[in-house]
Structure formats: C-alpha cells, structure tokens
Amino acid sequence: MHYISTRGQAPVLTFGEAMMTGLARDGGLYVPETVPQFTADDIAALAGLPYEEIAFRVMRPFMGDLFSEAEFRSLIAKAYQGFGHPARAPLKQLAPNHFLLELFHGPTLAFKDFAMQIIGQMMQAALAKSGERITIVGATSGDTGSAAIEAFKGLANVDVFILFPHGRVSEVQRRQMTTPTEANVHALALDGDFDDCQARLKDMFNDHAFRDGVRLAGVNSINWARVLAQVVYYFSAATSLGAPHRKVSFTVPTGNFGDIFAGYIAQRMGLPIAELVIATNQNDILDRALKSGAYETNGVKPSISPSMDIQVSSNFERALFDAYGRDGAAVAQLMDEMKSGGFRISQGALESLRATFTSGRCSEEETLATIRAERAATGELLCPHSAVGVKVAQDHLGAVSMITLATAHPAKFPDAVEQATGLRPALPPRMADLFDRPERVTRVPNDLAALQTLVRERIAR
Ligand SMILES: *Cc1c(COP(=O)(O)O)cnc(C)c1O
C-alpha cells in the first residue's frame, strides 16, 4: 500500500512513513494510492463483532507489512482497553429513525481518543523496532492536547510536549493535560493565545536543524493514521443497523473535516452510506462552499462548540483531490489561491462533492435549543458539538436511518450544557477525582528560543 500527496510533488511513502511524516513535503496531505474494497460479505461478517476485531479488519488492508497480525491485534487491544464502555462506540436511539453514535467513552471524553490511542501504540511499536526516539509537539485549544497526552504518556520511545494558551482552556481540559504523572509528559502553559501556540509550533517545525535534532513528529488531524482509525466506527455503527443489507446516513459535527472524511473513506471501501451530512456551527465555510461553490474564509467567530471553530478545514483538501480527479497540480493551485482568501470550486468538482456530501449549519441559539429539547424529549444530555450534529441531522431525516456522531461527553463542556438545561453534567465515575489530582505544568514565555532550550533539556534527561 502506497501513499501519495494531494499536491503530487512529494515522495511516495509506506503507511509507517506517512504516519511518522504527517504533512507531505510539498505541503500536501497523504492519501492511499488505492482504496481497499470490502465485498457485501466482508461487511456482513462484521456485524456483532467486538470493536477491536472490526478495527483489525478495517485498518489492516491499509497498513502493508508494518506489523504482524498478532502484533497489530495486541496494539489495538491496548489502545481501547481504557475506554469506559464495552462497545467502545455504542449507539443510542433518539427517534424512530435517528441514532446517536457515542464517541466519548475514551480517556479524555472526546472522539479524538479513538485515533490518538491507536497511533500512540503504533508509533511506539514501530520505534521500539528501530530503537529510535521521537519528540511529539502539539498545540491545542483543548481536546487534541489532552488526547495526545493520554495516548503517549508512559511510552518508552516518545516524549510529548503540548502547548496550550495559559488561562484560556477550560478547567477540565487543563486538568486532563496537567494531572498525568508520567515523566515523558510535558504540559506547557504558554503566555499567549492559541494562535501564538500554533505559530511557535510551526516555528519549531520550520527550524530544520532543531526538527531533525530532536526528531520532531506531529499528530495533528492531517495525519493519515488518524483518519484511518476513525473509519472503523462507521463500519461498526452501520453494521449494527443492518448494513450492508440496509443503507445508513451519517451526520458529522465538523471542524477540520477529518472525522467526516473517514466516513467518505468507509463509503469508498464499499460501506453503503446514503448521505454524509456535514454539520457546522456558525463557522460555516464548508456549508457555504457546498451550497455556493465558493470556498472563502470569513474569520473565526468563537462559539459554544469551540472544537469546531475553524477558519479553513485542513482535511477538505483530501476531498478536493478526489473531486478534481486526483489532479495534484490543480489542488496545489487551489491551495495557492487560498492564501488570498479563497477560490471557486469548479462545476465538475462541485457536482462530485455534492454526490457524496450534503451540509447544514447550526446557530448558537439553535445549539442551545437542541440541547434543551433533546433533554426534554429523550433525557439525553448532548455536548454542544453533538447538538450541532443532531440539529442538522433533524433537517435531513428521511427513509434511511440517520446516525449522528456525538463527538464529546457533555461533562467536557459543562457551561454550555448548564446554560441550556440548568443541569451541570457530572464527570463519569472513573474520572470523578480529576479535580483532586495534583497538577504539573510549566509556564513558558511566547518565545521560540526558550521553548527549544526547554525541549532539548527535557529530552536529554
Ligand atoms: C475535533 C472535534 C470536532 C471536529 O472534528 P474534525 O475531525 O476536525 O472535523 C468536533 N467535535 C469535537 C468535540 C472535537 O473535539
């Protein structure tokens, strides 16, 4: 299995190389050269299997010979053993033809655990073979950083540094990053905002001497291995509801387009998905693009579903690559036009995107109203991101069963839930002592040289 860049100019890589590389050297994103196909019988055979077995069967064809079968099975088992639900990704019914896929039973209560946990295991296993060490550095406004720390803590060949804006993440998010006790975890509170964190991260990657010296690696949402791990729950959910004999549709609360792109891959593999519905909050660049054909930035408006507050959706480039007939030069040109604020999607590409994706937008008021209404109708407490999905899904209900992805636990965003319902959701029992655990964090200046010195000192211990 080979991986090629969406911009056509970077080296062709194996799965293991694409996982360690992240962003391609030509600025593009890695995608599989061909998508493995599942027959109806392959899909039917998944029904009722444990999540771990479905993960093995779905991911394995994309991975070449990086791991033996037995080795990969044991990595999957370790990745998901810390989840607080035996089904890992359980389905709940909201209405006669509407289901909620709960993706928040992982250690940090958001769907990012599904990908991050298995990537941690795969990277560690690959590094143990070569004897190399890497340094993971990430910037976070909340969910990604805690998921990365939980996934990489205690792994022998990895150090993980997470930059977050001092004083600007929620208390649950901060404590999830500062309470792990493992020596390879480094939570860094930067004096600045999230953009400063991202800028310093970029500076570190652009300083090639530093990057090579500490063997810097990234795990942001453009990493192909993250997308692949998310393909699994589309199969587990769809087969639970009768696929391949019955079609299903999915609505996905969307920010960087990673999660919904995984659904598109599942469909390309042969899973009978009728519709993939993009659900955006008031940061609606994708909804506008699909409706008008104009992909144009509009600034970020902070919302009560902050993990979807994006200016542009980085993984959308992968969908454009296919919509433009896998023409890397065309994608490179579009991304160049993006620097001046946007571009118009060609008629042919737009028709191709609309054949797979549809979209909707949910305002702040609608998000709160949906949390309130769902609580009254079903007793279910939704996090604000999941509520965006439920609202947009309700506008797309039809004859085919709809599955909405619930991307975070309501207790991760208690203020919005309380504002909507008057109820403050409690953390699951296994996390109830989060507020009593001691915190360990280093306050750092918004200064590249100081950060680089700190990273070098910490990994030399
Ligand atoms: C990251 C995140 C999203 C957005 O996912 P993308 O893959 O970026 O589209 C939605 N909800 C929550 C809770 C998240 O953490």
Side-chain angles (χ1 to χ4, degrees), residues 110-112 143 253-259 307-308 385 407-408 413:
F111 83 90
K112 291 183 175 72
D143 294 338
T254 302
N256 266 324
F257 208 76
D259 209 5
S307 303
M308 295 155 63
H385 310 79
T407 52
F413 299 93

Side-chain angles (χ1 to χ4, degrees), residues 49 66 71 108 116 128-129 142 228 351 354 365 367 390 418 423 438 449 455:
L49 293 179
L66 182 58
E71 199 177 4
T108 71
M116 213 66 93
K129 283 183 189 170
L228 176 58
E351 277 164 24
R354 284 176 180 162
E365 302 72 49
T367 307
V390 166
E418 186 171 18
L423 297 165
V455 170

Side-chain angles (χ1 to χ4, degrees), residues 305-344:
S305 44
S307 303
M308 295 155 63
D309 289 348
I310 46 97
Q311 167 103 316
V312 294
S313 285
S314 46
N315 278 292
F316 190 54
E317 180 169 342
R318 289 187 161 115
L320 286 170
F321 182 60
D322 278 3
Y324 277 82
R326 305 209 125 198
D327 180 348
V331 172
Q333 194 191 325
L334 293 177
M335 292 305 140
D336 208 45
E337 288 175 39
M338 198 67 224
K339 288 179 196 147
S340 45
F343 55 81
R344 184 152 268 289

Side-chain angles (χ1 to χ4, degrees), residues 1 3 13-22 62-67 122-123 126 223-225:
M1 173 64 68
Y3 288 83
L13 300 183
T14 64
F15 174 79
E17 290 166 340
M19 175 172 72
M20 291 297 184
T21 303
F62 288 88
M63 295 175 50
D65 57 2
L66 182 58
F67 304 113
M122 291 194 292
M123 282 192 174
N223 193 306
W224 166 257

Side-chain angles (χ1 to χ4, degrees), residues 163-418:
L163 291 167
F164 67 88
H166 177 72
R168 301 189 200 211
V169 298
S170 79
E171 186 167 7
V172 172
Q173 289 174 325
R174 186 191 73 237
R175 285 182 169 274
Q176 284 183 332
M177 294 189 275
T178 59
T179 57
T181 55
E182 289 78 359
N184 73 331
V185 170
H186 313 275
L188 307 179
L190 185 130
D191 284 315
D193 60 18
F194 175 54
D195 289 335
D196 294 321
C197 293
Q198 273 195 307
R200 297 297 78 74
L201 178 71
K202 233 183 210 162
D203 292 345
M204 283 193 239
F205 274 90
N206 285 335
D207 179 343
H208 291 186
F210 176 76
R211 176 179 175 163
D212 296 341
V214 305
R215 293 223 48 200
L216 217 53
V219 287
N220 61 10
S221 76
I222 57 94
N223 193 306
W224 166 257
R226 277 186 63 178
V227 174
L228 176 58
Q230 293 166 196
V231 176
V232 176
Y233 45 70
Y234 286 89
F235 277 92
S236 71
T239 52
S240 294
L241 292 184
H245 316 296
R246 289 172 65 205
K247 284 193 173 198
V248 294
S249 291
F250 287 92
T251 299
V252 187
T254 302
N256 266 324
F257 208 76
D259 209 5
I260 192 160
F261 188 75
Y264 166 77
I265 293 293
Q267 188 191 49
R268 292 264 318 271
M269 291 173 74
L271 189 65
I273 297 176
E275 267 192 330
L276 281 167
V277 186
I278 299 164
T280 76
N281 64 19
Q282 60 188 358
N283 295 290
D284 58 355
I285 180 168
L286 289 166
D287 183 46
R288 285 184 285 113
L290 222 63
K291 286 183 171 137
S292 72
Y295 190 72
E296 281 165 351
T297 59
N298 204 349
V300 176
K301 295 187 214 84
S303 79
I304 55 170
S305 44
S307 303
M308 295 155 63
D309 289 348
I310 46 97
Q311 167 103 316
V312 294
S313 285
S314 46
N315 278 292
F316 190 54
E317 180 169 342
R318 289 187 161 115
L320 286 170
F321 182 60
D322 278 3
Y324 277 82
R326 305 209 125 198
D327 180 348
V331 172
Q333 194 191 325
L334 293 177
M335 292 305 140
D336 208 45
E337 288 175 39
M338 198 67 224
K339 288 179 196 147
S340 45
F343 55 81
R344 184 152 268 289
I345 303 170
S346 75
Q347 197 53 37
L350 192 58
E351 277 164 24
S352 156
L353 289 167
R354 284 176 180 162
T356 304
F357 300 103
T358 160
S359 67
R361 171 195 199 273
C362 179
S363 70
E364 297 288 274
E365 302 72 49
E366 288 168 330
T367 307
L368 290 169
T370 302
I371 297 174
R372 199 176 306 123
E374 209 52 53
R375 167 72 189 174
T378 66
E380 203 57 33
L381 274 183
L382 298 172
C383 97
H385 310 79
S386 311
V388 166
V390 166
K391 160 73 175 80
V392 172
Q394 284 166 345
D395 297 338
H396 287 83
L397 291 180
V400 175
S401 294
M402 177 64 80
I403 301 170
T404 297
L405 274 54
T407 52
H409 192 286
K412 203 157 184 186
F413 299 93
D415 295 339
V417 177
E418 186 171 18

